[in-house]
Amino acid sequence: MSDPHEHYSQTQFYRDCNYQILIIEDDYDTGDALVLSLARRGYGVRIVNSREAALPVLQQYHHDLILMDLRMPGMDANSFMTEVSREWPDCKVILMTADTRAEDAARALKIAQWLKKPFDLDELETAVLLAQESCPVHS
């Protein structure tokens, strides 16, 4: 039987549109729900299962927003955010976490927005719209 997370080793592209979102999520079910919800709302969505896998995707394709899970194996969130801030300073980031100290984690990473897991799809849409409104190209 194949690993259910195996398809996340390759980036998935769902729609070509104005506003591009990269999801970094290692949980298959959560990632799948995010992709389906955002694609249905008309966003371009790519997904990877690690921060390491996100870096070449960010180099290859323009993204307006990153939805990033906090607790993941591999590259730590601080190192990733340092790279994103340096290489893609206009890319917005929304932190997703089940951590009870979500606000503290977001502040430490210099991320203005976070979603506390579990969140509903309306909260996700509101967060994405806020990020989109703060981007002058798409306002």
Side-chain angles (χ1 to χ4, degrees):
M1 180 175 209
S2 68
D3 179 0
H5 299 264
E6 183 177 354
H7 78 278
Y8 274 17
S9 65
Q10 295 297 316
T11 304
Q12 296 185 16
F13 180 69
Y14 284 86
R15 176 173 277 167
D16 185 22
C17 73
N18 256 355
Y19 200 76
Q20 298 295 322
I21 300 172
L22 177 62
I23 300 169
I24 307 171
E25 174 61 68
D26 61 344
D27 179 76
Y28 174 79
D29 293 331
T30 301
D32 205 36
L34 292 169
V35 167
L36 292 173
S37 175
L38 292 168
R40 282 185 190 141
R41 287 172 165 83
Y43 297 108
V45 183
R46 292 182 178 91
I47 185 165
V48 294
N49 68 348
S50 71
R51 289 184 270 272
E52 292 88 351
L55 293 174
V57 173
L58 287 165
Q59 290 170 348
Q60 187 173 2
Y61 302 102
H62 167 80
H63 289 89
D64 301 289
L65 175 64
I66 298 169
L67 290 173
M68 178 179 71
D69 189 11
L70 177 62
R71 302 281 179 226
M72 299 178 75
M75 181 182 209
D76 67 273
N78 191 45
S79 297
F80 179 79
M81 285 306 302
T82 298
E83 185 80 11
V84 168
S85 297
R86 183 177 65 236
E87 297 294 326
W88 305 281
D90 294 332
C91 189
K92 307 292 181 202
V93 179
I94 298 174
L95 185 67
M96 303 179 295
T97 182
D99 193 310
T100 57
R101 299 176 313 256
E103 185 175 356
D104 294 338
R107 191 175 298 125
L109 293 168
K110 298 181 177 131
I111 297 173
Q113 279 187 278
W114 66 93
L115 289 168
K116 176 103 171 51
K117 290 181 179 180
F119 52 85
D120 63 41
L121 297 178
D122 288 336
E123 290 175 284
L124 172 65
E125 177 67 11
T126 299
V128 171
L129 286 172
L130 285 171
Q132 192 172 7
E133 287 172 6
S134 70
C135 181
V137 174
H138 299 285
S139 54

